[in-house]
Amino acid sequence: KDGQKMSKSKGNVLDMDEIVNKYGTDAVRLSFFYQNTAGANYAITEDKLKNFKQFVNKIWNASKYVIRSSKINLEQEYKLCTPKLEFSIKMLNHIAEVTSNVEKNIESFEFGRATDTLYHEFWHTFCDILIEESKKYLLPVIDKASKKVISEPDKTEKNEVSNVMIYVLKQYMKLLHPFIPFVTQKIWFELPLGKDDNIVLMKSKL
């Protein structure tokens, strides 16, 4: 963390097997990319590794929410619906902007910027804002006192929002995959494939 080279005499050698076992391969990989620029010194700390482990867990939990609430048919080919709701259009505009920015970053080898965009947009926009807003379309309203269902979501709106949420999640998996390959591929196995998708995530088109 002080920017020193690893040295046995200094006793600051890191055991990568131990770190990977503790934080996970995806979190360790991301720690080398995040906000880093080519040729620059970049300190890896315990706090950063813990944070990236939490981020990987966030990706997993958010994906599970989308999958559970969408009632996916894996045997049916996925196709994005024509959105009518303002919320659906907002989600599509969001992921289109993220995709454009990340593609530009990757094409110019600015991997640190790409991971910074994905980290903040997935966590603070997709999870904290869009997923929270989606709940009024996907989940029933339950009375806190009696725990009884007051009302069910509109089926047409639920189907549309579910369809669009799956699309957004799939796009995020494709964008995150170069940096976080293992958890994204595992989630990908649980998502419905479209005509441009491959069971091997890195072969799927954006």
Side-chain angles (χ1 to χ4, degrees), residues 167-186:
Y167 174 80
V168 174
L169 179 61
K170 288 177 67 176
Q171 288 296 102
Y172 264 119
M173 292 305 102
K174 293 174 185 178
L175 294 169
L176 285 162
H177 187 64
F179 312 106
I180 309 175
F182 299 103
V183 72
T184 51
Q185 179 64 65
K186 190 172 180 63

Side-chain angles (χ1 to χ4, degrees), residues 140-143 146-153:
V141 177
I142 300 175
D143 181 72
S146 65
K147 306 298 183 183
K148 292 182 179 180
V149 175
I150 300 173
S151 64
E152 294 285 352

Side-chain angles (χ1 to χ4, degrees), residues 73-166:
N73 183 358
L74 292 176
E75 296 179 0
Q76 185 176 345
E77 182 180 277
Y78 174 82
K79 185 177 180 181
L80 178 63
C81 66
T82 301
K84 296 179 180 179
L85 295 170
E86 188 176 325
F87 176 66
S88 299
I89 295 170
K90 181 169 75 170
M91 283 197 293
L92 293 176
N93 288 339
H94 161 73
I95 196 60
E97 184 178 358
V98 172
T99 300
S100 176
N101 290 336
V102 172
E103 281 189 304
K104 288 176 184 176
N105 294 151
I106 291 176
E107 286 169 3
S108 59
F109 300 99
E110 295 178 301
F111 304 125
R113 286 188 178 183
T115 52
D116 182 62
T117 297
L118 288 167
Y119 176 89
H120 287 286
E121 292 298 336
F122 187 91
W123 194 317
H124 300 301
T125 303
F126 183 59
C127 293
D128 292 349
I129 299 174
L130 296 177
I131 282 183
E132 288 304 312
E133 288 185 18
S134 76
K135 291 178 180 179
K136 66 181 179 182
Y137 299 100
L138 301 177
L139 303 178
V141 177
I142 300 175
D143 181 72
K144 292 182 179 179
S146 65
K147 306 298 183 183
K148 292 182 179 180
V149 175
I150 300 173
S151 64
E152 294 285 352
D154 180 87
K155 287 185 178 181
T156 302
E157 292 183 350
K158 181 177 180 178
N159 289 339
E160 178 184 312
V161 171
S162 295
N163 178 276
V164 175
M165 289 283 284
I166 289 293

